[in-house]
Amino acid sequence: MPLTGKQLIAGKWLDGRADTFRGVDPAKGENLEPEFTCADEFQVTEAVNAASECFTEFANTSPQKRAEFLNTCADEIMALGDELLERVSAETGYPRARAEGERGRTCGQLRMFADWIVKGEYLDARIDTALPDRQPMPRPDLRSFNQALGPVGVFGASNFPLAFSVAGGDTAAAFAAGCPVIVKAHNSHPGTSELVAQALAKAVEKCELPGGVFSLILGSGKRVGAELVKSPGIKAVGFTGSFSGGTALFKLANERPEPIPVFAEMGSINPVVLLPEALKNSAESVAEGFVGSLNMGTGQFCVNPGLVLGVEGEDLDRFISATSDALAKVGAGVMLNKATQQGYQSGGAKLRDQQGVEEVATGEATGDESGFTCQASLLTVSGKDFLANGELQEEVFGPTSLVVKCRDRDELLQATAALQGQLTGTLQCTEAELGSYGDLVELLRQRVGRIVVNGYPTGVEVCHSMMHGGPFPAATDARFTSVGTKAIERFLRPICFQNYPESLLPEALKNDNPLGIARLVNGEKTSDAV
Amino acid sequence: MPLTGKQLIAGKWLDGRADTFRGVDPAKGENLEPEFTCADEFQVTEAVNAASECFTEFANTSPQKRAEFLNTCADEIMALGDELLERVSAETGYPRARAEGERGRTCGQLRMFADWIVKGEYLDARIDTALPDRQPMPRPDLRSFNQALGPVGVFGASNFPLAFSVAGGDTAAAFAAGCPVIVKAHNSHPGTSELVAQALAKAVEKCELPGGVFSLILGSGKRVGAELVKSPGIKAVGFTGSFSGGTALFKLANERPEPIPVFAEMGSINPVVLLPEALKNSAESVAEGFVGSLNMGTGQFCVNPGLVLGVEGEDLDRFISATSDALAKVGAGVMLNKATQQGYQSGGAKLRDQQGVEEVATGEATGDESGFTCQASLLTVSGKDFLANGELQEEVFGPTSLVVKCRDRDELLQATAALQGQLTGTLQCTEAELGSYGDLVELLRQRVGRIVVNGYPTGVEVCHSMMHGGPFPAATDARFTSVGTKAIERFLRPICFQNYPESLLPEALKNDNPLGIARLVNGEKTSDAV
């Protein structure tokens, strides 16, 4: 199906009744066909109502049924073929290999959740059998498991047009939980969004699910996005994007008559701490890996290493020098859109203006002014200036990093203690010195979601043990991840059945355990029947 | 140790530097000795700072160590003996049996968490081993588990001076998770609070834990409570109490520079749905059980059945008549304090003033005006008036219940659909008609935390499968319970270790599994070594 520029509302493709816009090729700064129409508030309501109406039906599908649906979503995305990959590249400036890799990640996530839910672990089924003779009071029969929370609003991120967008991790997790989803597409890739929505619509149809299970709406975050979050039928929100966007939605959601959770992953500056022995042994190779991480995806990752902490001296100078040399050879990159480019320029300018900040290297400039290009940049500042100025912790989204030259170990600890919440914290170290920096590691553990040793923060593995989130302002709720199987936990809530007739209990809680899942029965994990 | 009227701040008993107040015997309306002093803002800060300073040490204690601490807390509470039981009765008007039962529940909760954490299930340990040869990218070694969230502020409830107060479920769950706790005592039972704090202080000392692990502060919720929630060192809040109190703290917490989760359990009206067959078969015995539930603890339970839904007719009239007869014999009850009595009177008056509401029965009045007594009350209203007036869903804390006489099954469904979020929903039904009311059950499932069949909502079992919470406004976050082992999940957050040296990993994640716990290794649950 060619691109229509329409909304998908509960299985129907409808012209939006508000404003219009177009995708833009960031490499050329040129508009793309077709024109996209935006939803008005009635269309948002329509999508939410359809989701609410089919919620019970979808929530009560078996894990097997939803697994089939998730796998069909992946199949249909693959079936979009080259058209999808080309549109991703056209709307983001990402090379084809990146588009292909991200498609693989997206489909892999959908299939991972399919595999995960049939295991039944996510249900956290618990049974405490009746104790009719207990004194002084009998115990009733009590059974609980996790059920779907309700319709979920998902906001696509600009920098992952597939993996954190229409059929990305939030949508996959919500579907897996049994929650209908309404996606507010990111304006930076409307064509990609529509293509993926076409695939999901086909999957909904093939699996004979109600159309309300999935809708795609277009429009600005400030208007359509806000309307979505304020809709009474929406029970949770998944968001990946900027701090200002995430906190705006968080505020709106908390001010509703019925507040709802907003899981906003808002990025961070992902400090890389260089410990002395590692620097001494391998400043140059650490620099090489660092530059690769900094420039991956033109620095447009929420796990981009925007901050380096080290103790000043010859070895840190070697790192800075090697990084500067490598950075100078980095070609101009294409950013996702004009707003991202402008944010990078203004954020970088503000950072360079701060007390004590010096620019020590920049990447190659470009002669071509038509595309949304940028130059990589390396800055330095003293530990003292860093500690005195919280603004040095503001994220500059793109390939800019700030090296903090601490006076000594004590100042390095102080700088670590001064860090805001982060998605990741990286340590370059020898094993021996990691052991002797236990105090620093503890400070980091309290401030990050993931600790990386002798690697770099970029590369967020989709797996069971991933934690992609962290203390505020990295995310709005440090207790949840937006990547990996644990991401489903955001969209579930427990319900307890007391003295409920065995024949009418949900499958997960029936005595004979028809799902064959592990359950906590009177405090012991078992797959046995009760 | 006799009562001192002091705060416990990080192991030290200090005079509060703000205002003073006294406990009151609600049965007589008389002040009790001694005078209690309230903390000023610096003392709140002192308590929070002490908690922050010892956070890492406490969070890193082994589950075994914290289990020992929890059991010692229970031992020390028991060692308070009669003095505690007498003070509870004096400050609440509860008979000794209730005080004793609640003490058992409180100690049972502490010991339950002790047993639960040594099993290690709460850690949710996950290991995804490295795949160095994977194409196109190797997979690093990734391991995650739940660590303590940070210092927790706990607000004691008036109606459970032990089980939802100083050493109640929130405190026990936070200690179990490894979080230091600062309790803001409820002003309704300062002596009980101090006695329990004395016990916890002894347990802290006996277990050689830092004093900052536990503090008790006194003062008003509006001042001291707000200061506690706004303290940057506090990372989560547990609250049981009124809607106005819970939502005020929730708002404060969300407006912090770093928002934090507030787990406020704010009560509800706990609808009891009477299905026709059950009414026909046993209107009188249902009424008998209902009156018992309504008057338990003078109706001062968050799971008190404040609403009854049924279809009008002879059988519902039989229920109303039997309930009225039984209620007329209920003696005047003593309420917890003057504010509760006043709230009950004004809330009841407001309810009786609403369109179509009729009072059909009241309990016995009392001649004694010195205590804070109340009369039970039964009201009726038509389904039509109920559907037209959201104010009929406002909780009247105490032994008042409203029977909604629905015209027919359809109106019964509409009334169920109109319900706000509830802690519980009860069904009186035959098994056959429960099956035929699947639509109503689904409506209830979306609106409650616990469904009770042929029982009554009062009686919240402390066990693994309990869900004591529910959709807003019953609680601020429907995804969590404040009772049972799952309550610990509020105070934990995952952290991930990437390529972390085996020798330095936390015990829970080491290859040889020294804790002997079940872990998710490459997607499979196992207690085996890696």
Side-chain angles (χ1 to χ4, degrees):
Chain A
M1 181 169 127
L3 288 175
T4 65
K6 299 184 182 203
Q7 332 286 302
L8 173 67
I9 296 181
K12 289 184 194 127
W13 291 95
L14 303 173
D15 281 319
R17 288 189 297 240
D19 43 329
T20 63
F21 71 106
R22 283 169 191 272
V24 177
D25 180 343
K28 300 176 188 156
E30 285 170 7
N31 280 347
L32 295 165
E33 290 298 327
E35 187 174 68
F36 286 84
T37 59
C38 296
D40 69 4
E41 59 183 298
F42 301 103
Q43 292 177 313
V44 174
T45 301
E46 207 178 324
V48 175
N49 286 348
S52 298
E53 276 158 29
C54 73
F55 168 65
T56 298
E57 179 182 344
F58 188 52
N60 285 336
T61 52
S62 67
Q64 285 72 13
K65 175 73 187 171
R66 292 200 304 287
E68 179 205 331
F69 173 52
L70 289 161
N71 284 324
T72 308
C73 289
D75 294 342
E76 293 297 331
I77 290 168
M78 290 308 294
L80 291 168
D82 278 359
E83 190 184 357
L84 178 65
L85 300 178
E86 285 158 13
R87 185 76 193 191
V88 167
S89 291
E91 288 185 332
T92 61
Y94 288 155
R96 184 182 170 101
R98 159 74 197 257
E100 211 164 337
E102 197 180 322
R103 183 181 63 176
R105 181 186 180 96
T106 306
C107 294
Q109 283 183 152
L110 289 160
R111 297 189 197 283
M112 172 195 74
F113 278 113
D115 292 345
W116 181 240
I117 57 175
V118 296
K119 290 190 182 179
E121 180 96 14
Y122 81 101
L123 292 165
D124 193 15
R126 295 174 175 221
I127 297 174
D128 292 298
T129 53
L131 299 173
D133 300 325
R134 191 183 63 173
Q135 292 302 327
M137 294 275 288
R139 179 171 85 179
D141 181 281
L142 288 153
R143 304 179 185 220
S144 69
F145 79 140
N146 286 329
Q147 67 178 18
L149 191 57
V152 172
V154 169
F155 288 74
S158 64
N159 59 340
F160 279 90
L162 299 174
F164 286 84
S165 189
V166 178
D170 288 343
T171 299
F175 280 166
C179 299
V181 170
I182 295 157
V183 172
K184 208 294 280 176
H186 198 286
N187 288 349
S188 200
H189 49 261
T192 304
S193 297
E194 187 188 321
L195 288 171
V196 175
Q198 288 177 8
L200 297 196
K202 272 193 197 159
V204 167
E205 211 178 312
K206 278 196 181 170
C207 295
E208 297 179 333
L209 290 167
V213 161
F214 174 72
S215 292
L216 175 79
I217 55 174
L218 304 174
S220 74
K222 279 192 181 154
R223 187 180 58 77
V224 170
E227 281 161 10
L228 181 62
V229 172
K230 288 194 283 187
S231 296
I234 293 293
K235 300 302 180 191
V237 172
F239 170 91
T240 304
S242 68
F243 177 77
S244 62
T247 49
L249 297 183
F250 181 71
K251 192 164 180 285
L252 274 182
N254 284 321
E255 287 169 358
R256 287 169 41 129
E258 178 199 4
I260 54 171
V262 170
F263 303 101
E265 187 272 89
M266 303 179 291
S268 60
I269 54 174
N270 303 290
V272 176
V273 183
L274 308 174
L275 295 187
E277 280 299 308
L279 261 191
K280 189 171 155 194
N281 297 343
S282 45
E284 288 75 16
S285 62
V286 169
E288 189 187 341
F290 173 76
V291 170
S293 179
L294 182 64
N295 286 288
M296 194 178 285
T298 316
Q300 299 167 114
F301 286 125
C302 42
V303 285
N304 185 62
L307 190 75
V308 178
L309 303 179
V311 174
E312 64 186 4
E314 193 184 326
D315 298 324
L316 185 59
D317 289 344
R318 281 167 54 213
F319 168 81
I320 293 170
S321 163
T323 300
S324 299
D325 291 349
L327 211 65
K329 291 173 203 140
V330 171
V334 174
M335 301 206 89
L336 288 156
N337 53 53
K338 198 170 184 71
T340 300
Q341 183 198 38
Q342 287 172 340
Y344 180 69
Q345 286 169 346
S346 61
K350 187 178 167 193
L351 193 54
R352 282 186 288 272
D353 274 355
Q354 301 297 309
Q355 171 74 36
V357 173
E358 283 176 43
E359 184 157 49
V360 293
T362 54
E364 285 179 11
T366 173
D368 177 5
E369 294 297 315
S370 56
F372 308 138
T373 57
C374 72
Q375 277 178 282
S377 168
L378 189 73
L379 311 168
T380 61
V381 74
S382 71
K384 191 181 164 195
D385 284 331
F386 179 78
L387 287 169
N389 186 356
E391 300 202 351
L392 296 178
Q393 292 197 45
E394 282 179 20
E395 184 182 7
V396 177
F397 190 69
T400 283
S401 196
L402 174 69
V403 181
V404 180
K405 300 160 82 167
C406 299
R407 199 178 48 235
D408 50 21
R409 177 183 171 133
D410 190 49
E411 201 171 74
L412 183 65
L413 280 168
Q414 286 176 50
T416 307
L419 290 171
Q420 296 182 329
Q422 307 286 340
L423 295 171
T424 67
T426 297
L427 291 148
Q428 290 285 344
C429 54
T430 65
E431 186 167 338
E433 75 181 335
L434 187 61
S436 69
Y437 274 83
D439 44 4
L440 189 143
V441 172
E442 285 300 336
L443 290 171
L444 219 45
R445 265 183 72 173
Q446 290 181 36
R447 284 157 182 76
V448 309
R450 175 166 55 110
I451 294 186
V452 180
V453 172
N454 292 332
Y456 301 93
T458 46
V460 180
E461 184 71 28
V462 179
C463 63
H464 301 289
S465 53
M466 178 47 61
M467 168 58 188
H468 187 61
F472 193 91
T476 44
D477 192 334
R479 292 167 306 137
F480 296 92
T481 175
S482 65
V483 173
T485 48
K486 277 175 79 72
I488 194 175
E489 295 168 16
R490 298 173 297 170
F491 305 126
L492 296 165
R493 73 173 177 93
I495 182 152
C496 177
F497 297 84
Q498 181 170 325
N499 284 345
Y500 210 80
E502 155 73 15
S503 66
L504 297 170
L505 277 167
E507 298 281 286
L509 299 175
K510 282 187 195 296
N511 283 346
D512 58 357
N513 194 12
L515 297 182
I517 59 178
R519 308 187 292 188
L520 193 74
V521 178
N522 296 322
E524 299 297 332
K525 261 284 163 77
T526 172
S527 301
D528 294 347
V530 170
Chain B
M1 182 170 127
L3 288 175
T4 66
K6 299 185 181 203
Q7 333 285 303
L8 173 68
I9 296 181
K12 288 183 195 131
W13 292 94
L14 303 174
D15 281 318
R17 289 188 297 237
D19 42 330
T20 62
F21 70 108
R22 281 170 192 271
V24 178
D25 180 343
K28 300 177 189 156
E30 285 169 8
N31 280 347
L32 296 165
E33 290 298 326
E35 188 173 67
F36 286 84
T37 59
C38 297
D40 69 4
E41 58 184 298
F42 301 102
Q43 292 177 314
V44 175
T45 301
E46 206 178 323
V48 175
N49 287 349
S52 299
E53 276 158 30
C54 73
F55 169 66
T56 298
E57 179 182 345
F58 188 51
N60 286 337
T61 52
S62 67
Q64 285 72 14
K65 175 73 187 172
R66 291 200 305 286
E68 179 205 330
F69 173 52
L70 289 161
N71 284 325
T72 309
C73 288
D75 293 344
E76 293 297 331
I77 289 169
M78 290 309 294
L80 292 168
D82 278 359
E83 189 184 358
L84 179 64
L85 300 178
E86 284 158 15
R87 186 76 192 190
V88 166
S89 291
E91 288 185 330
T92 60
Y94 288 154
R96 186 183 169 100
R98 157 74 198 256
E100 211 165 337
E102 197 180 320
R103 183 182 63 176
R105 180 187 181 94
T106 306
C107 294
Q109 283 183 155
L110 289 160
R111 296 189 198 284
M112 173 193 74
F113 278 113
D115 292 345
W116 180 239
I117 56 176
V118 296
K119 291 190 180 179
E121 180 95 14
Y122 82 99
L123 292 164
D124 193 15
R126 296 173 175 221
I127 297 174
D128 293 298
T129 52
L131 299 173
D133 301 324
R134 191 183 63 173
Q135 292 302 327
M137 294 275 287
R139 179 171 84 178
D141 182 281
L142 289 153
R143 304 178 185 220
S144 69
F145 79 138
N146 286 329
Q147 67 178 18
L149 192 57
V152 172
V154 169
F155 287 75
S158 63
N159 60 340
F160 279 89
L162 298 173
F164 287 83
S165 190
V166 177
D170 289 344
T171 299
F175 281 165
C179 299
V181 170
I182 295 157
V183 172
K184 206 296 279 177
H186 198 286
N187 288 348
S188 199
H189 49 260
T192 304
S193 297
E194 187 187 321
L195 288 171
V196 175
Q198 288 178 7
L200 298 196
K202 273 194 195 158
V204 167
E205 212 178 311
K206 279 198 179 170
C207 295
E208 297 178 335
L209 290 167
V213 161
F214 174 73
S215 290
L216 176 78
I217 56 173
L218 304 173
S220 74
K222 279 192 181 150
R223 187 181 59 77
V224 169
E227 281 161 11
L228 182 61
V229 172
K230 289 194 281 188
S231 295
I234 293 292
K235 300 301 180 190
V237 172
F239 171 91
T240 303
S242 68
F243 177 77
S244 61
T247 50
L249 297 182
F250 180 71
K251 192 162 178 288
L252 274 181
N254 283 321
E255 287 168 358
R256 288 168 41 128
E258 179 198 3
I260 54 169
V262 170
F263 303 101
E265 188 271 90
M266 303 179 291
S268 60
I269 53 173
N270 303 290
V272 176
V273 184
L274 307 175
L275 295 186
E277 281 298 308
L279 260 192
K280 189 172 155 192
N281 297 344
S282 44
E284 288 75 16
S285 62
V286 170
E288 190 186 340
F290 173 77
V291 171
S293 178
L294 181 64
N295 286 289
M296 195 179 284
T298 316
Q300 298 167 116
F301 286 126
C302 42
V303 286
N304 186 62
L307 190 75
V308 178
L309 303 179
V311 174
E312 62 185 7
E314 194 184 324
D315 298 325
L316 185 58
D317 289 344
R318 281 168 53 213
F319 168 82
I320 293 170
S321 162
T323 301
S324 299
D325 291 350
L327 212 63
K329 290 173 203 139
V330 171
V334 174
M335 301 205 89
L336 289 156
N337 53 53
K338 198 170 185 71
T340 300
Q341 183 198 38
Q342 287 172 340
Y344 181 68
Q345 286 168 348
S346 61
K350 188 179 166 190
L351 193 54
R352 281 187 288 272
D353 274 354
Q354 300 297 309
Q355 172 73 38
V357 173
E358 283 176 44
E359 183 157 51
V360 294
T362 54
E364 285 178 11
T366 174
D368 176 5
E369 294 298 315
S370 57
F372 308 138
T373 57
C374 70
Q375 276 178 282
S377 168
L378 189 72
L379 310 168
T380 62
V381 74
S382 71
K384 192 180 162 196
D385 284 332
F386 178 76
L387 287 168
N389 186 356
E391 299 201 350
L392 296 179
Q393 292 197 45
E394 281 179 21
E395 183 181 8
V396 177
F397 190 70
T400 282
S401 196
L402 175 67
V403 181
V404 180
K405 300 161 82 167
C406 298
R407 200 176 50 235
D408 51 20
R409 176 180 172 137
D410 190 50
E411 201 170 75
L412 183 66
L413 280 168
Q414 286 176 49
T416 308
L419 291 170
Q420 297 181 329
Q422 307 286 340
L423 295 170
T424 68
T426 296
L427 290 148
Q428 289 286 344
C429 55
T430 65
E431 187 166 338
E433 75 182 336
L434 186 62
S436 69
Y437 275 82
D439 44 5
L440 190 145
V441 173
E442 285 300 335
L443 289 171
L444 219 46
R445 264 182 73 174
Q446 290 181 35
R447 284 157 182 77
V448 309
R450 174 165 57 107
I451 293 186
V452 180
V453 172
N454 291 333
Y456 300 94
T458 45
V460 180
E461 184 71 28
V462 180
C463 63
H464 301 289
S465 53
M466 179 46 62
M467 167 57 188
H468 188 60
F472 193 91
T476 43
D477 193 332
R479 293 167 305 138
F480 295 92
T481 176
S482 65
V483 173
T485 47
K486 277 176 78 73
I488 194 176
E489 294 167 16
R490 298 173 296 170
F491 305 126
L492 296 164
R493 73 173 176 92
I495 182 152
C496 177
F497 297 83
Q498 180 170 326
N499 284 344
Y500 209 79
E502 154 73 15
S503 66
L504 298 170
L505 277 167
E507 298 281 287
L509 299 176
K510 282 189 195 294
N511 283 347
D512 58 356
N513 194 13
L515 297 182
I517 60 178
R519 308 187 292 187
L520 193 73
V521 178
N522 297 321
E524 300 296 333
K525 262 283 162 79
T526 173
S527 300
D528 294 347
V530 171

